[in-house]
Amino acid sequence: MTTDFQTQITELQREIEFMRERENVLMQIDATTRTATDPTEITFSAATLLGRHLRVNRCAYAEVELDQDTLVVIGNFIDGLPSMVGSYTLRQFSSAAYDLLTASKPFIVEDTETDPGCASGIEAFRAAGVRATISYPLMKEGRLTAILAVHTMEPRRWHKQEVTLVASIAARCWESIERARALRALEADREELRRRSIESERQHAELQTIYDTAPIGLAYFDLDDYHYLRLNDNQAAFFGLKPSQVVGKTLTQMSHIPVLRELFDQVARGEPVVNYPLEGTLVTDPADHRYWTVSYFPVYGPDGAMQGITAASLEITQQKKAEKALIQTEKLAAVGRLAASIAHEINNPLEAVTNLLYLAQHSGSLDEVHDLLQTADAELQRISVIAAQTLRFHRQANSPQEIDTAALVDETLNVYHGRLRNSPAQVSTRMRAERSVRCFDGEIRQVLANLIANALDAMSSTPGDLFLRTREGTNWSTGERGVVFTVADTGSGIAKDTAQRIFEPFFTTKGNIGTGLGLWISREIITRHRGTIRLRSSQSPTRHGTIFAIFLPFDAARR
C-alpha cells in the first residue's frame, strides 16, 4: 500500500514537472514566434524547441496541398537524422496515416517495423530514418492543411502528455504562421497602398502642371448658375486676372456674350459642344471684340449623375485678324481682276457716246441731233447699270439678308458679261431653287465670282461649256435643308495631287498672276455660313472638266 502510494506520488510529480516544462516550452515558442514574420523562421524555431524538449531526432512542420495527399516540409529540427525539407505524399509512407490525418486524428507509431499501419510504406520510413513518430493534423474548415511530426531513430513509447504537447505546439505554430502571413500580406498591402499613393500624387502633380501650363484656357463650372470652381492661368488671362480673382464668379458675370448661356444650358442637358466658334467681348475689356474656339463637356460622378461642366477655350483673335487681312487682300486682288472687265464694259459705251456727241455737234438737223442724243443717253444708262452692279457686287451688308438665289447668280454672271462675250465658253444656266437663302450676299457673290473666273481661265484657250445650276437639297451629315449651287466647266480638269491642295492658302497654279487665296477664302466663307464646298474633277481624254458644288442651309448666316 505504501509502495503504491509512493508510486502515485512519483507519477504525480512527473506530471507536474512535465506540465511545468510544457508551459515553459509553450512560453518560449510564443516569445519566439510572436514577432517573426517568416514562416520558415517560425517553423524552425518551434520545431527546434519542441525537438529538444522531447529529445527526438527530428521535428518537422509540413503544409498540405489541396489534394490532401501532397505535403511540403517547410522547416525542421534535426539531431542525428537528415533534413526532410521538400515535397512528399502521405500515401508513400502509409495509407493508414493518410486516413487518420485527413480524418483529423493523430498518426502515432511506437515502432514502424512492427506497426501494421506502416507495412506498406516501410521502405519509405526506413529511408527517412523513422522508427517512431507522432504526426499531428491541423484542420481548417474540415480540410487537412498542415502536419507537425516528431521522429525518432529508435522505438519509443509515447506518453499522453507528449501527444498533447505536440498538438498544442502544432496549433500555435499554425496560428503563428497564419498570423505572420496575414501581417506580411497586410504590410504588402500597406506598401502597395503607399506606392499607389505616391504614384497618384505624382500623377496628380503632373496633371496639375499640365492643367496650369496648358496653352489653352481650361475651366470647371458647377451646375448652379455656372460658377467658376477651377480655372488655369490661361483662362484667367482672358480677363487679365488671376485664377483666384475669378473663382466663385458666374459665367455671365465674366462675359455678356448672349449665346454663351445657351451653350452651357445645352451641355447641362447632356449635349456636348465641340469646336464651337465663339466671338464677343468680356466684362473686363468690353471694347475689344475677340474670337475663340470652345468645347464644353458634361462631367459625371461615379453614380452617373452630372456634377459639372468642363470647358476648353482657345483664343484665335490674332488668327481671325490675319484671316481678315488676307480676305481683304483677296478682295483687292479680285477688284484688280475685275477692273479690266469693267473698264472694257464701260469703254465700249463711252466710245459710242463720244462718237454720238461728235456727230450731234456737226449735225444740222435737230431731229438727227435728238436721235443721236437719245442713243447717247441709252449708252450712258448702260454705263450706270454696269457701275451699279459693280458696287453691289462688293457691297457687304452688316447683317444677313434673304437673297433670291437666281438673282444672286445672274448678278454675279453679269459682271463677267464682257469677258464671256469674248470667251470661247458657252454658258448654260438652270435655276431650280425656289426658296431664298439667308446669307451675307456680298460674300457669296465673291465665292461664285471666284469659281466662275477659275472656270473661264480653264477654258481660255479652247472652246468649252460653263454650267451654272441651283437646286434645293439636303446636307445628309446634318439633315439640314438648303440650296446647292453648282459651277462646272469642261476644261482640262485638275490633277489629283493639285486637287488635294487646292483649298490651301497661298497654293496657286497661276504663277505670278494668282494669290493662292481665292479658294481658301471661299471655303472659309462657306464654312462661316455653315455650308460645304466640294470638288470633283477629271482629266480623262473623253470626259474632262471640274465641278464645284456648294451647299448653303436656308438659314445659312446666324451672325
Side-chain angles (χ1 to χ4, degrees), residues 312-325:
S313 306
L314 175 64
E315 183 163 6
I316 55 172
T317 301
Q318 295 305 316
Q319 177 184 334
K320 282 292 183 181
K321 289 180 178 179
E323 287 179 3
K324 286 184 176 181

Side-chain angles (χ1 to χ4, degrees), residues 391-452:
L391 289 172
R392 186 162 55 251
F393 181 85
H394 284 286
R395 185 183 66 237
Q396 177 61 61
N398 292 326
S399 59
Q401 307 292 324
E402 291 286 342
I403 301 299
D404 179 75
T405 55
L408 195 65
V409 174
D410 287 339
E411 290 174 2
T412 306
L413 197 58
N414 285 339
V415 176
Y416 291 93
H417 179 75
R419 184 176 175 184
L420 287 169
R421 190 171 53 198
N422 298 318
S423 169
Q426 298 295 316
V427 179
S428 171
T429 61
R430 186 172 65 199
M431 309 299 162
R432 295 193 299 176
E434 297 181 358
R435 290 184 58 180
S436 60
V437 172
R438 183 175 176 80
C439 65
F440 289 87
D441 56 319
E443 292 185 353
I444 303 304
R445 283 194 188 93
Q446 180 180 345
V447 173
L448 293 174
N450 189 51
L451 296 179
I452 291 172

Side-chain angles (χ1 to χ4, degrees), residues 80-121:
L81 286 176
S83 171
M84 284 193 70
V85 171
S87 181
Y88 306 88
T89 64
L90 284 173
R91 288 190 175 94
Q92 79 181 76
F93 289 95
S94 169
S95 296
Y98 173 84
D99 294 338
L100 287 170
L101 292 170
T102 55
S104 190
K105 296 178 181 179
F107 177 64
I108 303 171
V109 178
E110 294 183 348
D111 189 350
T112 56
E113 295 292 337
T114 60
D115 192 307
C118 300
S120 61

Side-chain angles (χ1 to χ4, degrees), residues 61-64 101 136-139 143-148 170 174:
Y61 182 89
E63 293 184 336
V64 180
L101 292 170
Y136 202 89
L138 286 166
M139 310 297 289
R143 186 180 66 82
L144 179 64
T145 59
I147 300 171
L148 181 61
W174 182 82

Side-chain angles (χ1 to χ4, degrees), residues 425-485:
Q426 298 295 316
V427 179
S428 171
T429 61
R430 186 172 65 199
M431 309 299 162
R432 295 193 299 176
E434 297 181 358
R435 290 184 58 180
S436 60
V437 172
R438 183 175 176 80
C439 65
F440 289 87
D441 56 319
E443 292 185 353
I444 303 304
R445 283 194 188 93
Q446 180 180 345
V447 173
L448 293 174
N450 189 51
L451 296 179
I452 291 172
N454 288 344
L456 292 176
D457 289 342
M459 299 181 293
S460 60
S461 58
T462 56
D465 295 305
L466 172 63
F467 300 97
L468 299 172
R469 305 281 190 265
T470 66
R471 62 178 177 84
E472 296 180 11
T474 303
N475 183 348
W476 296 110
S477 63
T478 63
E480 281 190 292
R481 294 282 294 168
V483 174
V484 179
F485 297 83

